[in-house]
Amino acid sequence: MQRPKTRYTKAGDVWLAYQVVGEGPVDLVYASGWLHNIDIIWEHPAYRRLLETLASFSRLILFDKRGTGLSDRETGAPTLEERAEDIRAVMDAAGSQRATILGHSEGGHVTAMFAACYPERVRSIILLDCRPCNAWKPDWPTGMRRAELEAFATHLVENWGKPDHLGEQAPSLAGIPEEEEWYARMLIHAASPSSAAAYARIWYELDVRAVLPSIACPALIFRRPGDRTTPAEQTRYLAEHIPDSRLIEIGGADHAIWAGDQDECLGWIRDFIDDERTGGEDRVLLSVLMSDIVGSTEIAARLGDAAWRDKLAAHDAAAARAVRHHAGHLVKSTGDGFMATFAGPSRAIACARDMHAEAARLGLTLRAGAHTGECLRHGQADVTGLGVVIAARIMGAAGAGETLVSSTMCDLLAGSRLAFDDIGIRELKGVPGQWRLARLGNPDRAATDPE
């Protein structure tokens, strides 16, 4: 994906920089955390992957807050009302009438304010590692004391251009030279030392507790239990006071949105947006692909624990790449295999071929099964239903190196130039009736990626 073109629009007298990327059915506005630069973030591989994935199922709208990044820098101390107006101005410029707003960290304050003030413009909101109130108050003992804030602001000014607080924002990346170099570069392109300190003082004063009960749209709220910057009590407060909300805990200790394992969070976001767009329906026609490493127990015993873990990690990474490449959704790992879903059967088949090829490069052999049928989707946690059971049973009938599919999938792929060998009627344990199965033929006989 090419880095999108940066455009400008005005909110009052302030010029705001924004970008639009993707052509999905739902507009998604990203309200970033503390400091940000919409050009520099594309230079970081993990951040780029995050943005590209969001743009794969939405029309993603990015912007730099007033006073930061490529937007006007000298803007004084903006109020939450002004910053909510900035989102409206960017949406107008991007031609967005209604959007889901994703607020990360400090961006959660303006997300909450915008949802309360402009309910007609908001489909839903997503809050990741956000705090409703930052300052210590008699009724808010988890807040930061003024002296702590001033010490932090002084430290920022004296050490601007150094990545010395990356360890707090992204402990999984601390000490990695290239990560520290990029983080320092992003910060100095987001703000000057004095404006960074000024923004820290603005952040300190923010308190959106009073507006939370007025948010009428669905809300998905995330927190990472290991995040040292966001106390659990603060995230729970959001979930308890936004009427239509759901709190999800995801793994990891990173606060930075681009750090750590993104797949779990991105899966929840995609499912949330899809469910909200379709009215919350959980019955959906999916193509389910199940895979398994043949003889994994024997291989593990031969290699030893350490070598097997490395081999399995390499396989897992390759399989995940294949699923993403074919626009699939990696539902879960089954230990030595995977379960993934796809919008169409040809993508599932193309992914199965890639997974077989990647496994062979690692000296492994897979078996796989695929079926297209109705499933019950339960957020990111799982996909269940008869369609999943059938795919699992078909995989169980496959031999080493084989991909077996149901006749339903073959019928849907008629005319695709894919080759299948009929292997006859089978009974599938726990599944009513008898099922005709087919084996995916030699890839030399057909197109390798029909879509």
Side-chain angles (χ1 to χ4, degrees):
M1 182 179 292
Q2 295 292 322
R3 181 186 306 189
K5 181 178 179 180
T6 298
R7 304 177 184 275
Y8 282 89
T9 190
K10 257 192 168 183
D13 295 329
V14 176
W15 285 102
L16 301 171
Y18 73 96
Q19 298 172 345
V20 181
V21 58
E23 299 178 352
V26 171
D27 287 347
L28 177 63
V29 178
Y30 172 36
S32 68
W34 178 46
L35 295 176
H36 191 246
N37 182 300
I38 54 175
D39 267 359
I40 302 300
I41 59 176
W42 288 95
E43 298 176 0
H44 191 279
Y47 216 144
R48 174 183 281 268
R49 176 177 173 267
L50 171 76
L51 299 175
E52 288 178 343
T53 304
L54 291 173
S56 72
F57 55 81
S58 74
R59 180 171 172 262
L60 179 63
I61 301 171
L62 312 169
F63 71 101
D64 279 338
K65 295 173 291 187
R66 59 171 64 203
T68 72
L70 300 178
S71 294
D72 279 348
R73 291 287 188 92
E74 303 302 323
T75 59
T79 65
L80 270 179
E81 183 180 2
E82 289 174 321
R83 292 175 57 194
E85 175 64 20
D86 290 349
I87 291 182
R88 190 186 67 82
V90 168
M91 287 179 63
D92 287 347
S96 176
Q97 295 300 313
R98 198 160 173 254
T100 292
I101 315 298
L102 166 59
H104 170 242
S105 189
E106 189 261 355
H109 299 96
V110 67
T111 297
M113 187 71 174
F114 185 78
C117 293
Y118 298 98
E120 74 283 358
R121 304 295 299 270
V122 182
R123 291 178 176 272
S124 56
I125 63 172
I126 301 167
L127 303 175
L128 173 61
D129 290 327
C130 299
R131 302 162 60 117
C133 178
N134 300 309
W136 181 94
K137 298 179 181 181
D139 64 341
W140 199 248
T142 63
M144 179 185 290
R145 297 279 185 169
R146 172 71 66 175
E148 295 177 83
L149 179 276
E150 291 303 328
F152 175 64
T154 299
H155 180 82
L156 285 176
V157 172
E158 294 176 347
N159 295 275
W160 198 242
K162 300 177 182 178
D164 58 346
H165 61 288
L166 180 61
E168 184 176 75
Q169 294 290 311
S172 69
L173 304 180
I176 302 175
E178 55 268 31
E179 295 290 348
E180 294 183 338
E181 180 181 351
W182 175 84
Y183 186 62
R185 173 175 163 77
M186 193 271 290
L187 290 179
I188 63 176
H189 281 79
S192 66
S194 59
S195 59
Y199 237 96
R201 293 186 175 96
I202 293 170
W203 166 87
Y204 179 77
E205 302 293 344
L206 296 178
D207 184 347
V208 296
R209 288 178 292 170
V211 309
L212 299 180
S214 300
I215 297 174
C217 64
L220 182 65
I221 302 167
F222 292 104
R223 81 169 298 268
R224 296 181 175 105
D227 182 355
R228 292 176 290 175
T229 72
T230 309
E233 299 88 340
Q234 297 229 10
T235 315
R236 284 198 294 267
Y237 187 96
L238 291 170
E240 290 167 358
H241 290 81
I242 297 176
D244 185 7
S245 64
R246 184 178 185 185
L247 176 61
I248 302 295
E249 286 198 348
I250 56 177
D254 294 300
H255 179 74
I257 193 171
W258 71 87
D261 182 7
Q262 300 173 1
D263 290 335
E264 183 180 10
C265 183
L266 287 167
W268 277 109
I269 290 173
R270 184 176 67 173
D271 284 347
F272 175 69
I273 288 176
D274 286 348
D275 288 348
E276 187 275 327
R277 180 169 62 89
T278 59
E281 295 178 358
D282 59 358
R283 292 183 179 273
V284 60
L285 185 71
L286 294 172
S287 293
V288 182
L289 174 65
M290 305 283 286
S291 71
D292 188 39
I293 298 174
V294 176
S296 59
T297 302
E298 292 79 3
I299 297 171
R302 185 177 73 250
L303 294 178
D305 290 343
W308 171 242
R309 281 196 301 269
D310 292 343
K311 180 83 71 174
L312 189 59
H315 163 67
D316 291 353
R321 285 195 303 270
V323 172
R324 289 195 303 270
H325 177 70
H326 295 288
H329 177 36
L330 185 59
V331 178
K332 61 183 176 181
S333 168
T334 58
D336 53 2
F338 280 93
M339 171 181 166
T341 60
F342 301 80
S346 57
R347 294 189 181 278
I349 294 300
C351 182
R353 279 189 167 152
D354 283 0
M355 289 172 67
H356 278 292
E358 291 293 335
R361 292 189 187 99
L362 294 169
L364 300 173
T365 302
L366 300 185
R367 59 176 180 166
H371 172 66
T372 300
E374 184 177 88
C375 301
L376 301 177
R377 187 167 54 198
H378 310 281
Q380 169 66 5
D382 210 353
V383 174
T384 61
L386 186 59
V388 173
V389 175
I390 293 171
R393 297 294 182 262
I394 293 174
M395 182 195 71
E402 290 184 341
T403 296
L404 298 186
V405 304
S406 64
S407 59
T408 303
M409 184 169 272
C410 291
D411 292 340
L412 292 172
L413 289 169
S416 68
R417 296 183 296 129
L418 285 167
F420 294 97
D421 301 318
D422 187 349
I423 64 170
I425 301 295
R426 301 290 180 89
E427 289 188 357
L428 304 178
K429 183 179 179 181
V431 179
Q434 294 183 319
W435 290 78
R436 180 174 293 277
L437 304 184
R439 181 187 299 108
L440 179 62
N442 190 319
D444 293 337
R445 293 161 53 196
T448 58
D449 192 347
E451 293 188 8

